[in-house]
Amino acid sequence: MISAHDNDPTARAWAIAAHEYRRERWRNQLGWTREIYAQPTPPAHARAGVPEWDWRLSIAEIERDAAFSSFPGIDRELVLLSGNGVRLRFDDGEVHALHPPHDRLRFAGERGVTGELIDGPTHDFNLMWRRDRFDAALWHRPLVGPMVLFVDPAATWAVHLIGGRAAFGAESGLAPLATGDTAILQAGRQRQRHVLEGGGETLLVRLTPLAQA
């Protein structure tokens, strides 16, 4: 369900249940991912060789050692959600391991990198965004009681529930969140306030348009 705030009809908020994520092949066909949501790029800002989205949330299913897809013009951040870890071996010699419970790493999408499983398959939260159009921040936070989120004009927040249960205030019109679900909060022209209550763990993502974009 998509809801709009009465004081700003350009604001939108909606929840996406985990079973609604779209499973698709990696760009290089070497693995699978479940796309949570991708924000389309306006036609005026489309560019050859760059994906047709401004930012994207997904969950990569790493089932074997494999090279990651190349995404020129994209920055990305990978967070270990489940499994015993993955080693990121970059073509330039850097090696960085993501260990349980939720290690993460930010890197440029055009860097060549291979994911090597440490001990069995992993699921990894994957945030990607066009660096020429957006700034992105990601936090891992516990949810104990109420959490207040302020979404600034034109910005977007995403709340991914790693574990537990949570619900926004009744005025939001959003369905409750269970483990693995995601909520997208877009402010529109005016700053919006959202209250999330429950118990568990979250990944919080903030995407802010660049002034010159």
Side-chain angles (χ1 to χ4, degrees):
M1 173 185 292
I2 297 179
S3 66
H5 288 260
D6 292 340
N7 63 341
D8 184 359
T10 66
R12 300 196 311 157
W14 67 100
I16 310 170
H19 66 81
E20 296 177 350
Y21 302 162
R22 185 180 66 182
R23 193 168 187 257
E24 60 183 32
R25 298 291 292 181
W26 290 1
R27 198 180 197 189
N28 64 8
Q29 304 298 306
L30 296 181
W32 290 91
T33 193
R34 287 183 292 147
E35 183 180 271
I36 300 172
Y37 179 73
Q39 178 70 43
T41 298
H45 295 280
R47 187 153 55 88
V50 178
E52 296 179 351
W53 37 258
D54 277 343
W55 54 266
R56 182 176 185 251
L57 307 176
S58 63
I59 297 175
E61 303 173 3
I62 304 180
E63 299 175 331
R64 61 185 177 90
D65 296 355
F68 284 14
S69 303
S70 177
F71 286 92
I74 301 295
D75 282 337
R76 63 191 301 182
E77 189 159 353
L78 199 68
V79 184
L80 181 68
L81 290 179
S82 65
N84 293 317
V86 60
R87 186 180 299 106
L88 303 179
R89 189 176 298 278
F90 291 90
D91 291 354
D92 59 15
E94 180 184 354
V95 179
H96 190 101
L98 303 184
H99 294 291
H102 302 301
D103 274 358
R104 66 183 193 256
L105 183 68
R106 177 177 293 211
F107 55 97
E110 52 267 89
R111 290 183 70 186
V113 58
T114 295
E116 300 174 349
L117 295 172
I118 293 175
D119 182 18
T122 67
H123 286 177
D124 303 83
F125 185 86
N126 190 19
L127 163 65
M128 294 191 284
W129 66 97
R130 277 183 57 165
R131 69 174 68 97
D132 65 334
R133 287 186 44 76
F134 277 81
D135 181 48
L138 184 152
W139 300 271
H140 172 218
R141 291 289 186 269
L143 179 61
V144 182
M147 175 187 291
V148 181
L149 302 175
F150 291 97
V151 187
D152 290 324
T156 297
W157 281 72
V159 179
H160 179 75
L161 196 63
I162 297 176
R165 298 189 68 85
F168 289 92
E171 72 282 355
S172 72
L174 299 179
L177 300 181
T179 296
D181 295 348
T182 304
I184 309 293
L185 313 172
Q186 296 183 330
R189 293 190 295 264
Q190 300 179 27
R191 194 185 204 205
Q192 301 293 334
R193 177 180 180 271
H194 296 270
V195 179
L196 181 68
E197 295 194 62
E201 291 184 273
T202 65
L203 291 179
L204 304 176
V205 175
R206 184 187 66 204
L207 294 138
T208 308
L210 298 176
Q212 71 272 20

